[in-house]
């Protein structure tokens, strides 16, 4: 019996690398990966050639143009173009080559800026999006509809999960373009090493965010992908098929800053730069659908931050 050949697109990234770890631990599959230099996913001809030459059975689509609030607000054209091209190429060429199962990773930013909390899957497109990441959100909404449309017209089994904010080993620590947790881990660490008197946090500190450790996200992704089609179909609406993935708990950015400072061992003070955007005031996901499908997050924020900081320090030791 041939092992299934599973393509993990974006395998070097935060989520992609965690998905590879889960699949390797499970065993029983041939995991296919390509670096961006080997396969530029915005290039339709390269993606077509890849799927034509490789016998791929399943795809985890964890490749995307990703970044925090500043990056989204600064590079809107790249966020909408790159993500629409990557998902359109991968979904279309996967279908053309006969790939039956695919998992698309969207984002919690697809929901209206002022959606009711916690946010249920059916709140999609019920109001205006958050301006700081609207292009990225539009691309992700299109990705969900792309999968649903191929399922309806061609009978594919392409599934979508909507992660909340993620963090953990393999994160992007870019000083400007990263998400809040890697940004604060780096900033508090540098402040501790330099005995700086204060650390600046962007915005008011009042927004609330839900944070899921990336290894939990990878477990949830494999869990959803491996649900049999009947179970998945019985619990999702083909026209509203995405599934939220989160912890069901959130904290203010000010509380998060305090937690990161404690984990890093920083003794100075925290100040807030109100000139920076807050973004969506809150985006806590309702995770009842996924819980009903047999999965819940395991890693607490305190434990996750400790592991993430350890992974960050390990990258410094490697230099
Ligand atoms: N991180 C988070 O907080 C959240 C992430 N998500 C979603 O999860 C998924 C994974 O995100 P995450 O792991 O954080 O992102 P990362 O940026 O860590 O990883 C993305 C990976 O995709 C690759 N990639 C990007 N564009 C291309 C391209 N055009 N061709 C080939 N490879 C490409 C990158 O390669 P390279 O580095 O060489 O460019 C990188 O290895 C994405 O769909 C994202 O939208 C959703 C919600 C929250
Ligand atoms: C996953 C999600 O991620 C993004 O949305 P976001 O959650 O707003 O992103 P963020 O993590 O960058 O910020 C969260 C909050 O934290 C505050 N904040 C404080 N200090 C820093 C700081 O130093 N860096 C950053 N990045 N934020 C900071 C910041 O002001 C904001 O209030 C989009 O990509 C969106 O499309 C998306 O999918």
């Amino acid at each position: 019996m041939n092992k299934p050949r599973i393509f993990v697109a974006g395998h070097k990234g935060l989520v992609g690398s965690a998905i590879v770890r889960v699949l390797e631990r499970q065993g029983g599959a041939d995991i296919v990966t390509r670096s961006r230099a080997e396969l530029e996913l915005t290039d339709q001809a390269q993606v077509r050639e890849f799927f034509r030459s490789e016998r791929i059975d399943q795809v985890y689509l964890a490749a995307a143009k990703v970044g925090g609030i500043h990056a989204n607000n600064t590079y809107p054209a790249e966020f909408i173009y790159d993500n629409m091209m990557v998902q359109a190429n991968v979904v279309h060429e996967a279908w053309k080559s006969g790939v039956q199962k695919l998992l698309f990773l969207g984002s919690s930013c697809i929901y209206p800026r002022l959606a009711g909390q916690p946010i249920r899957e059916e709140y999609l497109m019920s109001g205006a999006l958050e301006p700081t990441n609207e292009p990225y959100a539009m691309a992700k909404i299109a990705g969900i509809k792309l999968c649903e449309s191929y399922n309806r017209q061609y009978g594919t089994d392409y599934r979508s999960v909507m992660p909340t904010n993620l963090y953990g080993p393999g994160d992007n620590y870019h000083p400007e373009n990263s998400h809040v947790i890697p940004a604060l881990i780096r900033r508090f660490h540098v402040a501790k090493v330099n005995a700086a008197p204060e650390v600046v946090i962007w915005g008011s500190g009042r927004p609330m965010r839900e944070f899921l450790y990336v290894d939990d996200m990878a477990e949830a992704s494999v869990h959803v992908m491996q649900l049999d089609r009947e179970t998945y179909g019985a619990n999702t609406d083909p026209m509203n098929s995405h599934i939220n993935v989160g912890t069901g708990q959130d904290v203010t950015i000010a509380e998060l800053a305090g937690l990161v400072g404690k984990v890093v061992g920083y003794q100075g003070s925290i100040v807030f730069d109100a000139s920076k955007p807050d973004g969506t005031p809150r985006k806590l996901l309702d995770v009842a659908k996924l819980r009903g499908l047999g999965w819940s997050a395991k890693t607490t924020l305190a434990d996750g931050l400790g592991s993430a900081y350890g992974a960050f320090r390990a990258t410094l030791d490697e230099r």
Side-chain angles (χ1 to χ4, degrees):
M1 172 82 166
N2 285 339
K3 289 181 181 179
R5 301 195 78 230
I6 302 178
F7 175 42
V8 180
H11 75 288
K12 291 185 177 180
L14 172 71
V15 179
S17 57
I19 288 174
V20 168
R21 290 196 292 271
V22 172
L23 294 175
E24 284 176 340
R25 213 168 34 243
Q26 267 191 353
D30 284 334
I31 302 167
V32 178
T33 58
R34 289 291 183 281
S35 69
R36 186 167 189 170
E38 294 166 326
L39 179 55
E40 172 50 62
L41 294 171
T42 58
D43 182 323
Q44 185 183 50
Q46 287 189 40
V47 177
R48 176 164 299 164
E49 180 49 34
F50 168 76
F51 278 100
R52 276 186 176 160
S53 57
E54 296 289 335
R55 180 184 54 78
I56 300 296
D57 299 301
Q58 298 177 25
V59 177
Y60 286 86
L61 182 42
K65 171 77 176 172
V66 181
I69 190 166
H70 173 79
N72 268 272
N73 222 9
T74 308
Y75 310 109
E78 292 174 50
F79 273 89
I80 193 164
Y81 176 79
D82 283 19
N83 287 312
M84 289 192 76
M85 292 303 287
V86 166
Q87 58 201 35
N89 288 339
V90 173
V91 168
H92 186 72
E93 299 306 332
W95 163 69
K96 282 187 73 173
S97 67
V99 172
Q100 258 306 316
K101 281 186 99 171
L102 176 145
L103 188 76
F104 170 68
L105 275 83
S107 167
S108 60
C109 72
I110 62 169
Y111 294 111
R113 170 181 164 77
L114 300 175
Q117 308 284 324
I119 305 173
R120 296 165 60 86
E121 285 89 351
E122 49 265 32
Y123 294 174
L124 180 61
M125 294 195 281
S126 61
L129 296 169
E130 160 58 35
T132 56
N133 54 46
E134 185 193 66
Y136 173 75
M138 289 300 286
K140 291 296 186 180
I141 293 169
I144 296 169
K145 296 305 166 185
L146 197 61
C147 293
E148 290 176 356
S149 303
Y150 278 64
N151 295 345
R152 289 172 58 206
Q153 184 167 344
Y154 302 128
T156 49
D157 184 9
Y158 293 175
R159 304 177 180 183
S160 299
V161 285
M162 297 301 120
T164 190
N165 291 48
L166 305 172
Y167 70 100
D171 213 335
N172 163 12
Y173 290 93
H174 186 281
E176 295 298 319
N177 296 333
S178 63
H179 287 104
V180 61
I181 285 184
L184 296 192
I185 284 176
R186 186 179 187 280
R187 196 168 304 144
F188 275 102
H189 178 81
V190 170
K192 181 179 81 169
V193 167
N194 298 337
E198 63 183 32
V199 167
V200 177
I201 312 295
W202 296 356
S204 68
R206 285 193 298 272
M208 299 189 77
R209 291 291 186 272
E210 176 186 23
F211 297 104
L212 179 67
Y213 191 63
V214 71
D215 286 3
D216 284 350
M217 179 64 214
E219 297 278 357
S221 299
V222 174
H223 181 84
V224 170
M225 182 70 133
Q226 293 180 348
L227 288 169
D228 63 65
R229 192 160 188 174
E230 294 65 39
T231 305
Y232 178 76
N235 290 276
T236 50
D237 170 352
M239 298 287 281
N240 196 50
S241 63
H242 56 289
I243 297 175
N244 290 340
V245 185
T247 63
Q249 296 172 335
D250 57 359
V251 292
T252 67
I253 295 304
E255 288 164 341
L256 172 71
L259 282 170
V260 174
K262 188 175 171 192
V263 162
V264 170
Y266 176 69
Q267 304 296 331
S269 58
I270 292 171
V271 296
F272 294 89
D273 175 359
S275 75
K276 299 281 187 182
D278 271 343
T280 303
R282 191 180 189 197
K283 48 180 172 177
L284 176 65
L285 296 181
D286 182 310
V287 291
K289 183 175 284 191
L290 183 55
R291 191 176 300 125
L293 286 168
W295 189 88
S296 294
K298 294 188 290 290
T299 309
T300 65
L301 184 54
D303 289 348
L305 288 173
S307 303
Y309 182 45
F312 170 74
R313 285 208 314 274
T315 63
L316 302 180
D317 298 345
E318 286 161 11
R319 286 180 195 168

